Amino acid sequence: MAKKTGFVEDPTPLLRAGRSVDLSSIDPNSTPGFNGKKADGQALLAAEAVELSELQERLFAASREGAPDRILLVLQAMDTAGKGGIVRHVVGAVDPQGIEHHAFKAPTDEEKKQDFLWRIEKQLPGPGIIGVFDRSHYEDVLVHRVKGLSPQEEITRRYGAIKDFERDLVAQGTRVIKVMLHISREEQGARLMERLERPDKYWKYNPGDLEDRGLWDQFQEAYQIALRQTDLNDSPWYVVPANKKWYARVAVQRLLLNALKEINPTWPPADFDVEEEKKKLAAS
Amino acid sequence: MAKKTGFVEDPTPLLRAGRSVDLSSIDPNSTPGFNGKKADGQALLAAEAVELSELQERLFAASREGAPDRILLVLQAMDTAGKGGIVRHVVGAVDPQGIEHHAFKAPTDEEKKQDFLWRIEKQLPGPGIIGVFDRSHYEDVLVHRVKGLSPQEEITRRYGAIKDFERDLVAQGTRVIKVMLHISREEQGARLMERLERPDKYWKYNPGDLEDRGLWDQFQEAYQIALRQTDLNDSPWYVVPANKKWYARVAVQRLLLNALKEINPTWPPADFDVEEEKKKLAAS
C-alpha cells in the first residue's frame, strides 16, 4: 500500500524555534513533518489554498461585526530565501481585499528620527486582515547588530521593546506568526548566480547582496540570538527550512491555516430581521 | 467547424462609455465582443491570468529602475454588482506585492472636513503598482447628487476637479481605467435575496441597501451624468455589463491586459557589470 503523502505530522510544533534554537542543527534541505516530493507539495499547496481562502473570508466577515481577530505574518530571511515566493504563492491564494502587504526597505531619514517601531505601527493590520511584513522591526536587531548600526545596549533594549510590542498586538487580537526562511549559504550562491544568468532576474540582483553574503555567519548568529530573545508562546518564531521552495510554501501555508483554525472565525449572525427584510425586498 | 470562443472582437472600444453614453441602451445581460458561454469565460479568465501576472511583474520590475508607470483601476457600481468578485478573481491572480487595494467607505468626520479628493490622494498607487479603488471619489458626485449631500454647484465643480485630478495622474504615469459594473434592477433583487437566504452571506447585507435600491433610477441618472462629464480619452470610463459575473470578470481582465500591453514594461537592464559580479559571487 502506498504511504500517505503530504504532512504526516503537524509541522507547527516541529518548526517552532523555542528559546534555545540552534540554527546550525536545522538542515535547510529538510522537510519537517512532510512525506513526499515536490509534486506532492505542489498538489497540497493547491488543495489547501481553497481552505485558506474560505477561512480568510470568514475572518474578514467576522470583523465586520466587531471581532478583533487578525493575523500578522512576519517574514525574515537572508536574500533569495524566498519571501517573495511565499507572498506570491501562499498569500496570493487569498482575496486581495483581506490582505495588507508591506515590504520594509532601509528606513528613510524621517523614519530614522523616530523609534524603530514607529514605522512598523503604521502598517499593522486591522481586524479581519492578514497583514504580511516582508522584513520588519527585526531588521533593527539583525542588520543593526551585524553592521554595528546601533550600540549593543540599544539592541538589547530592543529585544525587550519588541516583546512588549508584540504582547500588545496579541492582546488586541492579533495572531503573530514569525517565520525565518532558512536557506544554506550554498543554495543562496546558486540562486544569486541564477539572477546573474537571467536578464529577467537582473532587477532582483544588487551588488550589495554580496556584502551581506560575506557576513553570513554573523547574520546567522544575529538571527539565532534574536530568535532566542523574542520567541514567545503567544508570538512564536518558526524556522522554516527553505532550500526546497515548495516545502517552505506549503509549511507557511499550514502555519497560516493552523492559526486561522484556532481563531475559528464564524459567519456573523444577521443583525436584522431576515424575514422582514425578505418581505421588504420582495416589495421593492 | 466550431466557431472560435472567447473575445472575437477587442472589448475595450466596445465598452467605452464616451461623452454621450446612454445607460438605458446597454443591456446588462450582454457580453460585448465575446462569443461563448460561462465555461468559455472561465477558461479564458484562467488562461489570461498567466499573461496578466507576467506583465504585472514586468511593470513592478521596471519601476525599480525608475519607470513611472502604474495603473489605477476604479470600480464603481450599485450594490451586489460584483466589485468584490472582480477583486478576488481578476486582481487576485496577480502577485499581492504589486497590488494596493483600497475600499472607500462613507467618509469619517476628519475626512469630511477636507476636500473630497484629500482621502483619495493618500491611497494613490506608486510606480509599478496596480491600485484598485473599490468605490472612489466618484461617490462624491453620485451619492451626493442622489441624496442631496452637496449643493448642485459643488457637484458641478467636482466634475471639473476630478478631470483636472485625473489628468495630473495620467501626466505622472498612471493609466486610469474607470469601470462601472452595470447590472439590472432585477438582477440586484435576485442577488440581495440570495444574501438573505444564505447565512454565510448575511454579513454582506445591510438594510440600508434597500434605500439605495429605492433610488435606482436616480442613481442611474447620476451615473450617466458623471460618466458623460468625466469620460476623457486619457482617463476613460467603461460600462461593463455585469449580470453575467463571468463576463464582467473576463472583460475587466482584458481592460487591464490591454493597458499593460500598451505600457509594454520591459525588464530593466543590469546597472552593474554582470560578468564581474559572477566572478565575485563565484569567489564568495
Side-chain angles (χ1 to χ4, degrees):
Chain A
M1 196 176 114
K3 201 173 163 199
K4 177 186 186 295
T5 59
F7 280 114
V8 290
E9 191 175 348
D10 181 7
T12 299
L14 302 177
L15 300 172
R16 176 74 187 276
R19 305 300 296 264
S20 54
V21 62
D22 175 11
L23 287 176
S24 69
S25 73
I26 300 173
D27 179 0
N29 277 306
S30 63
T31 59
F34 195 91
N35 183 54
K37 297 188 186 303
K38 183 173 178 177
D40 304 309
Q42 289 172 329
L44 187 66
L45 191 75
E48 296 206 336
V50 178
E51 193 178 6
L52 185 70
S53 183
E54 282 175 11
L55 281 163
Q56 177 276 329
E57 191 181 356
R58 284 191 195 209
L59 180 77
F60 189 80
S63 75
R64 303 296 101 167
E65 299 300 327
D69 305 290
R70 67 205 81 171
I71 289 176
L72 175 62
L73 175 65
V74 173
L75 298 172
Q76 284 286 159
M78 299 297 288
D79 286 324
T80 76
K83 293 188 274 74
I86 298 286
V87 172
R88 179 183 282 263
H89 297 284
V90 180
V91 180
V94 168
D95 189 342
Q97 278 192 77
I99 298 297
E100 289 176 15
H101 169 272
H102 192 78
F104 289 94
K105 308 292 182 190
T108 63
D109 287 342
E110 189 197 8
E111 288 167 349
K112 281 182 190 165
K113 289 179 195 158
Q114 311 287 339
D115 183 74
F116 75 107
L117 292 172
W118 181 77
R119 66 177 189 153
I120 306 297
E121 283 165 355
K122 294 200 290 184
Q123 304 294 344
L124 291 170
I129 298 293
I130 300 177
V132 182
F133 284 179
D134 177 342
R135 305 186 188 275
S136 67
H137 43 301
Y138 284 97
E139 292 295 314
D140 298 280
V141 292
L142 294 168
V143 65
H144 276 240
R145 178 188 166 89
V146 171
K147 300 191 179 174
L149 302 179
S150 295
Q152 185 53 47
E153 314 84 75
E154 169 62 9
I155 289 173
T156 302
R157 181 192 77 78
R158 288 180 183 177
Y159 297 133
I162 286 173
K163 283 189 284 190
D164 290 345
F165 173 67
E166 293 179 0
R167 284 194 189 101
D168 280 352
L169 297 185
V170 172
Q172 288 159 27
T174 309
R175 295 261 162 171
V176 184
I177 304 169
K178 301 181 288 192
V179 169
M180 179 204 178
L181 297 175
H182 182 50
I183 55 166
S184 65
R185 198 173 188 285
E186 294 65 36
E187 180 68 16
Q188 188 194 48
R191 292 185 187 179
L192 286 171
M193 193 57 86
E194 191 190 7
R195 291 182 179 181
L196 287 170
E197 280 165 353
R198 286 178 53 179
D200 63 332
K201 299 279 188 188
Y202 287 167
W203 67 282
K204 293 188 173 185
Y205 184 89
N206 186 322
D209 295 346
L210 291 188
E211 187 191 336
D212 287 359
R213 179 169 167 76
L215 297 165
W216 188 271
D217 292 343
Q218 292 92 318
F219 268 107
Q220 295 296 306
E221 186 189 19
Y223 266 103
Q224 181 158 301
I225 294 169
L227 267 57
R228 289 181 178 185
Q229 289 284 337
T230 61
D231 183 272
L232 297 168
N233 283 332
D234 280 347
S235 177
W237 269 109
Y238 299 98
V239 179
V240 175
N243 273 12
K244 295 184 168 80
K245 289 178 183 175
W246 64 265
Y247 175 78
R249 290 170 190 171
V250 85
V252 174
Q253 185 185 57
R254 184 57 74 94
L255 293 175
L256 280 171
L257 264 177
N258 283 354
L260 280 161
K261 286 179 185 171
E262 281 182 34
I263 295 172
N264 192 23
T266 52
W267 298 115
D271 57 356
F272 46 81
D273 182 328
V274 174
E275 295 311 315
E276 184 64 26
E277 292 297 320
K278 282 185 188 171
K279 278 183 214 154
K280 282 194 211 167
L281 174 59
S284 73
Chain B
M1 195 175 111
K3 201 175 164 199
K4 176 186 185 298
T5 60
F7 281 113
V8 291
E9 191 175 349
D10 180 8
T12 300
L14 302 177
L15 300 172
R16 175 75 187 274
R19 304 302 296 265
S20 55
V21 63
D22 174 11
L23 286 177
S24 68
S25 73
I26 300 174
D27 180 358
N29 276 306
S30 63
T31 58
F34 195 92
N35 182 55
K37 295 189 187 302
K38 183 173 178 177
D40 304 310
Q42 289 172 329
L44 186 66
L45 191 74
E48 295 205 337
V50 178
E51 192 178 6
L52 185 69
S53 182
E54 283 175 9
L55 281 163
Q56 177 276 328
E57 191 181 356
R58 283 191 196 210
L59 181 76
F60 189 80
S63 75
R64 303 297 99 166
E65 299 298 327
D69 304 292
R70 68 204 82 173
I71 288 176
L72 176 62
L73 175 66
V74 174
L75 298 173
Q76 285 287 158
M78 299 298 285
D79 286 324
T80 77
K83 293 189 275 72
I86 298 286
V87 172
R88 180 184 280 263
H89 297 283
V90 180
V91 180
V94 167
D95 189 343
Q97 278 192 75
I99 299 296
E100 288 177 14
H101 168 272
H102 192 79
F104 289 94
K105 309 291 181 190
T108 63
D109 288 342
E110 189 196 6
E111 287 168 350
K112 281 181 189 164
K113 289 178 193 157
Q114 311 287 339
D115 183 75
F116 74 108
L117 292 171
W118 180 77
R119 66 177 189 153
I120 306 296
E121 283 166 354
K122 294 201 287 184
Q123 304 295 344
L124 291 170
I129 299 293
I130 299 176
V132 182
F133 284 178
D134 177 341
R135 305 188 187 274
S136 67
H137 44 299
Y138 284 96
E139 292 295 312
D140 299 280
V141 293
L142 294 167
V143 65
H144 277 243
R145 178 188 167 90
V146 171
K147 300 192 179 173
L149 302 180
S150 295
Q152 185 54 47
E153 314 84 76
E154 169 63 7
I155 289 172
T156 302
R157 182 193 75 80
R158 287 180 184 178
Y159 297 133
I162 286 173
K163 283 189 282 188
D164 289 344
F165 173 67
E166 293 179 359
R167 284 192 188 103
D168 280 351
L169 297 185
V170 172
Q172 288 159 28
T174 308
R175 296 260 162 171
V176 184
I177 304 170
K178 301 182 287 193
V179 169
M180 179 204 176
L181 296 176
H182 182 49
I183 55 168
S184 65
R185 198 172 187 286
E186 294 66 34
E187 178 68 15
Q188 188 194 49
R191 293 185 187 181
L192 286 171
M193 193 57 85
E194 190 191 8
R195 291 182 180 182
L196 287 170
E197 281 165 352
R198 286 177 53 178
D200 63 331
K201 300 276 189 192
Y202 287 166
W203 68 282
K204 293 188 173 184
Y205 184 88
N206 187 324
D209 294 348
L210 291 187
E211 185 191 338
D212 286 1
R213 179 167 168 78
L215 297 165
W216 188 272
D217 291 343
Q218 292 90 319
F219 268 107
Q220 295 296 307
E221 187 190 18
Y223 266 104
Q224 181 158 301
I225 295 169
L227 267 56
R228 289 181 179 185
Q229 288 285 337
T230 61
D231 183 273
L232 297 169
N233 283 333
D234 280 346
S235 176
W237 269 109
Y238 299 97
V239 179
V240 175
N243 274 11
K244 295 184 169 76
K245 289 178 183 176
W246 63 265
Y247 176 77
R249 291 170 190 170
V250 85
V252 174
Q253 184 185 57
R254 185 56 73 95
L255 293 175
L256 278 172
L257 264 177
N258 283 353
L260 279 162
K261 285 178 184 169
E262 281 182 35
I263 294 172
N264 191 24
T266 51
W267 299 113
D271 58 357
F272 45 83
D273 183 329
V274 174
E275 295 310 315
E276 184 65 25
E277 292 297 320
K278 282 186 188 171
K279 277 183 214 157
K280 281 194 212 168
L281 174 59
S284 74

